[in-house]
Amino acid sequence: MKVRSSLFALVAAGAVSIGGAALVASPASAAPVSYQANLAALNHSSASGTLMLTLDGNQATVTETATGLASTFNGAAFPHVQHIHINGQGACPTTAADTNGDGVISTTEGGPAYGPIGTTLSVTGPTTAASGTVLNIAPSGASINYNRTITLDAATVSAIQANKAVIVVHGDDPTTLSAKAQAEKSDLVPSLPLAATSPALCGVLAVAQTSAVPSGGAATGAGGTSGTQSNELYLIGGGLLAGSIVALGLRRKFATVNDIS
């Protein structure tokens, strides 16, 4: 009887051990999270657009569409420098930001709302803040269809996660501006007119809301650890079931031994 009790205690301990192993399984790494910005017009622009950003560590896959932008500049396709601005108020500026009354919210005037450049959304080449006004790496023309995976610095990643990141697309049609504004120079690149670098579209990045989790949910903003928790529960259940089966087998074996004796 002592041998029998000891063996049953050992089986029970084994079942707990199997379940315990599942409980301390190493957690899965953080899932990618998707963010969205609905781009609204500024400075008399008739443009609109949407930008999606899926963040996986410091890697960001950016997909953007925009239409209605200024199409030409000095006889060529209009370059629209665009950026992730960070650590301002996490907002797009209102008309109250036009402090000099020229009818245009310049990049500098909008700065308190959306903050300085964190990352440049160039079509090729560097994506640093220092490349923010390089025209030949910016998307150009009346429409933008942008898709690029880039590496973000720590400040930009933190700002996105803290809801302090704003997408700004620059470049206005000068003919839509007041005579005063048309005569002014850019506050960023004095060799260019004010219209060339003033904001045309702006949108705050926020976690994308989805009504249902699509396939590949981690890359579409579903995030979380629900899948990991479910797997752990299955493992725990499986471990306990295995322990019960072993215990049942031993019980029958001992019953047989007892019958023989």
Side-chain angles (χ1 to χ4, degrees), residues 37 116 118 123 184 238:
V123 296
E184 293 175 327

Side-chain angles (χ1 to χ4, degrees), residues 26-240:
S26 53
S29 58
V33 179
S34 286
Y35 299 82
Q36 180 174 339
N38 295 318
L39 305 177
L42 289 177
N43 291 328
H44 316 288
S45 170
S46 58
S48 62
T50 301
L51 183 142
M52 294 289 296
L53 183 152
T54 299
L55 186 63
D56 186 359
N58 66 350
Q59 298 296 298
T61 298
V62 183
T63 304
E64 173 194 20
T65 59
T67 58
L69 292 159
S71 59
T72 59
F73 179 76
N74 288 342
F78 200 124
H80 294 282
V81 295
Q82 55 179 6
H83 319 102
I84 305 174
H85 287 254
I86 63 174
N87 297 329
Q89 298 165 357
C92 291
T94 66
T95 54
D98 176 21
T99 55
N100 69 351
D102 62 357
V104 174
I105 303 167
S106 69
T107 300
T108 302
E109 288 174 328
Y114 46 65
I117 296 171
T119 298
T120 297
L121 297 177
S122 57
V123 296
T124 187
T127 59
T128 61
S131 59
T133 57
V134 179
L135 301 183
N136 62 3
I137 61 173
S140 59
S143 300
I144 295 175
N145 289 289
Y146 183 89
N147 193 319
R148 189 179 182 191
T149 298
I150 58 178
T151 300
L152 303 181
D153 60 24
T156 301
V157 171
S158 295
I160 292 172
Q161 295 172 335
N163 298 317
K164 291 286 188 178
V166 181
I167 305 298
V168 181
V169 180
H170 301 260
D172 291 297
D173 181 351
T175 64
T176 65
L177 307 185
S178 67
K180 178 181 179 181
Q182 289 185 43
E184 293 175 327
K185 297 298 182 180
S186 165
D187 52 336
L188 298 183
V189 186
S191 60
L192 297 174
L194 177 65
T197 60
S198 294
L201 286 171
C202 182
V204 178
L205 271 178
V207 174
Q209 301 297 316
T210 55
S211 57
V213 179
S215 59
T220 57
T225 58
S226 57
T228 304
Q229 292 167 347
S230 297
N231 290 338
E232 289 177 353
L233 289 175
Y234 284 130
L235 287 169
I236 294 167
L240 292 175

